[in-house]
């Protein structure tokens, strides 16, 4: 079996290589270069150290190694999607789109035909039945990353391979330490994959600019502050409003008039919603009939906990009615759908405004 292993230099993807070698595979290691060093906003993207670590791993395990430059593809797809979304007042998820469009998309288009499987360091698993391949959750429920994989296509899913999906993070760290991996003690990466050390708000400001507007209290419509552009704020946000007498939470945005609405209190009712309207429902395995699917678990963001609810699909529209009200439901976010047993990742949908 020919395997392409996508290694970023981080602990998780790096540990996939000794695990694959133990199983008798000889993976071809690829480092995907996506940080836009030629753009002023990406000058701090730390790819040199990551490439050195990945080369060290390739040499240690006698694997072929190549750098794949997908900077143009990343900018024209994932970054463009992010900018276009925030301009519309939506909350994008670049990491979900990176898996769809880059790791299992552009990379596969350029090199994937040569390989049977594409390996990543995601905390996820998959299983096969007579209906084909299904995406399933990882053994480490805290680290589970199926939320970021809920929008890939079925042909992409068929090529996935997740060597660390059955391991807890602690064991992955132990393996990294045992093999003296240079990144064994590196903290888990946080934030958006293409930004490197760049602050998200600084990136948005660099790409879109500022447009000062009003912050108003939702319940009274009183003017309580100013913002620098609605695109800097998302539903459920608490930090960054710079309002006194809080806490304050963003609960609504008037895009046409550039007004951000906030509610005050530690748990304002306006933060919560029990009905989530959906568009573009995507089922990962089209061989399975989901027409009668109703009782589900779901997530509206990457987190260990699942929400419970009912999925309603009819001619009026698609929605999830949650068993309990949840906070921070923002248009543009992805909802990822699971079975009630919290085993199978069924698919995803985009939250409507």
């Amino acid at each position: 079996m020919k395997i392409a292993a996508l290694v970023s230099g981080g602990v998780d993807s790096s540990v996939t290589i000794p695990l694959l070698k133990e199983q008798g595979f000889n993976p071809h290691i690829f480092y995907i270069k996506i940080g836009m060093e030629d753009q002023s906003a990406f000058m701090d993207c730390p790819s040199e150290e990551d490439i050195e670590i990945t080369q060290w791993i390739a040499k240690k395990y006698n694997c072929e190694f190549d750098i794949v430059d997908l900077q143009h593809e990343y900018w024209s797809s994932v970054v463009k999607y992010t900018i276009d979304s925030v301009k519309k007042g939506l909350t994008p998820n670049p990491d979900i789109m990176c898996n769809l469009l880059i790791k299992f998309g552009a990379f596969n288009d350029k090199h994937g035909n040569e390989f049977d499987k594409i390996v990543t360091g995601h905390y996820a698993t998959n299983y096969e039945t007579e209906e084909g391949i299904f995406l399933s959750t990882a053994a480490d429920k805290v680290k589970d990353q199926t939320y970021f994989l809920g929008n890939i296509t079925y042909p992409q899913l068929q090529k996935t391979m997740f060597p660390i999906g059955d391991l807890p993070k602690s064991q992955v760290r132990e393996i990294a330490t045992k093999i003296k991996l240079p990144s064994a003690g590196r903290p888990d990466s946080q934030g958006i994959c293409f930004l490197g050390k760049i602050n998200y708000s600084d990136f948005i400001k660099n790409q879109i600019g500022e447009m000062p507007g009003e912050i108003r209290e939702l319940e009274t419509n009183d003017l309580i502050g100013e913002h620098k552009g609605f695109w800097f704020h998302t539903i459920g946000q608490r930090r960054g409003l710079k309002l006194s007498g809080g806490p304050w939470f963003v609960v609504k945005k008037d895009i046409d008039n550039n007004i951000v609405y906030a509610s005050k209190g530690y748990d304002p009712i306006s933060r919560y919603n029990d009905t989530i309207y959906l568009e573009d429902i995507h089922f990962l395995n089209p061989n399975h009939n989901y027409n009668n699917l109703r009782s589900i678990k779901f997530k509206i963001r990457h987190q260990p906990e699942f929400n419970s609810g009912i999925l309603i699909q009819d001619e009026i529209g698609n929605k999830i009615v949650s068993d309990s009200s949840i906070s921070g439901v923002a248009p543009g976010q992805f909802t990822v759908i699971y079975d009630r047993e919290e085993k199978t990742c069924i698919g995803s949908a985009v939250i409507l405004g």
Side-chain angles (χ1 to χ4, degrees):
M1 182 184 295
K2 296 189 67 177
I3 294 176
L6 308 186
V7 180
S8 67
V11 174
D12 298 329
S13 61
S14 298
V15 167
T16 64
I17 303 305
L19 294 176
L20 289 169
K21 296 292 283 191
E22 286 178 5
Q23 296 174 45
F25 299 117
N26 188 33
H28 187 141
I29 298 174
F30 291 91
Y31 178 90
I32 296 180
K33 195 172 184 180
I34 57 175
M36 301 290 290
E37 287 92 343
D38 58 333
Q39 298 283 333
S40 60
F42 293 89
M43 292 302 291
D44 291 329
C45 193
S47 62
E48 289 187 9
E49 179 184 354
D50 293 333
I51 291 173
E52 288 178 2
I53 291 173
T54 307
Q55 288 176 321
W56 179 89
I57 295 167
K59 183 176 181 180
K60 178 178 177 66
Y61 291 99
N62 194 28
C63 297
E64 290 187 70
F65 171 71
D66 283 295
I67 298 172
V68 178
D69 190 340
L70 296 179
Q71 294 179 81
H72 174 74
E73 290 85 350
Y74 199 92
W75 184 269
S76 63
S77 60
V78 179
V79 180
K80 183 179 185 300
Y81 149 80
T82 303
I83 295 170
D84 289 348
S85 295
V86 296
K87 281 182 178 179
K88 297 174 184 176
L90 304 174
T91 299
N93 193 306
D95 295 313
I96 285 180
M97 299 306 287
C98 180
N99 288 317
L100 171 68
L101 300 175
I102 301 298
K103 291 180 181 177
F104 298 106
F107 173 81
N108 186 62
D109 294 341
K110 282 192 171 185
H111 301 282
N113 290 334
E114 307 170 31
F115 298 94
D116 302 300
K117 295 290 183 180
I118 297 176
V119 165
T120 65
H122 285 102
Y123 285 87
T125 58
N126 52 38
Y127 66 92
E128 187 170 4
T129 72
E130 66 278 0
E131 294 180 314
I133 302 292
F134 291 85
L135 179 65
S136 51
T137 52
D140 191 327
K141 300 307 179 185
V142 173
K143 298 300 297 182
D144 179 76
Q145 293 176 307
T146 50
Y147 178 83
F148 298 118
L149 296 163
N151 200 43
I152 63 174
T153 68
Y154 184 65
Q156 291 173 342
L157 176 62
Q158 289 178 301
K159 296 190 74 169
T160 59
M161 192 173 183
F162 307 115
I164 66 171
D166 292 318
L167 302 178
K169 178 74 178 195
S170 58
Q171 189 172 343
V172 172
R173 289 278 188 195
E174 288 174 5
I175 295 170
T177 301
K178 183 178 180 180
I179 66 174
K180 298 180 180 180
L181 184 68
S183 60
R186 178 187 285 184
D188 291 348
S189 60
Q190 301 291 331
I192 296 170
C193 51
F194 65 81
L195 290 185
K197 298 177 183 178
I198 302 299
N199 176 272
Y200 178 72
S201 293
D202 291 340
F203 166 76
I204 296 300
K205 179 181 177 181
N206 179 274
Q207 299 300 320
I208 305 176
E210 297 180 344
M211 186 170 68
E214 300 175 341
I215 302 177
R216 291 186 172 271
E217 185 173 17
L218 180 69
E219 292 80 4
T220 65
N221 202 39
D222 289 344
L223 179 63
I224 55 176
E226 294 184 349
H227 62 80
K228 295 183 178 181
F230 64 78
W231 42 74
F232 294 109
H233 303 284
T234 188
I235 305 300
Q237 176 184 337
R238 175 179 172 182
R239 296 183 179 179
L241 290 174
K242 298 179 180 179
L243 300 174
S244 61
W248 293 89
F249 295 88
V250 175
V251 293
K252 181 182 176 182
K253 294 191 288 187
D254 181 343
I255 307 305
D256 293 336
N257 296 300
N258 193 28
I259 299 173
V260 172
Y261 289 93
S263 278
K264 179 181 179 180
Y266 284 96
D267 205 22
I269 193 170
S270 52
R271 286 182 61 205
Y272 290 83
N273 202 334
D274 62 0
T275 303
I276 304 170
Y277 295 94
L278 309 173
E279 64 178 346
D280 302 330
I281 292 184
H282 166 65
F283 294 115
L284 283 165
N285 188 329
N287 301 320
H288 186 82
N289 186 350
Y290 287 110
N291 289 336
N292 296 319
L293 178 67
R294 284 185 60 81
S295 184
I296 62 165
K297 295 289 185 75
F298 68 97
K299 297 182 181 183
I300 63 167
R301 60 181 65 87
H302 175 51
Q303 62 183 29
E305 299 80 20
F306 293 83
N307 302 294
S308 300
I310 300 298
L311 176 65
I312 298 174
Q313 305 175 77
D314 56 33
E315 63 279 359
I316 299 176
N318 302 309
K319 62 185 177 182
I320 292 173
V321 179
S322 179
D323 291 348
S324 59
S325 294
I326 55 178
S327 63
V329 179
Q333 279 180 324
F334 280 87
T335 296
V336 176
I337 303 167
Y338 299 81
D339 64 2
R340 295 292 292 194
E341 289 72 34
E342 302 177 2
K343 174 187 176 182
T344 303
C345 180
I346 294 171
S348 65
V350 177
I351 298 175
L352 275 171

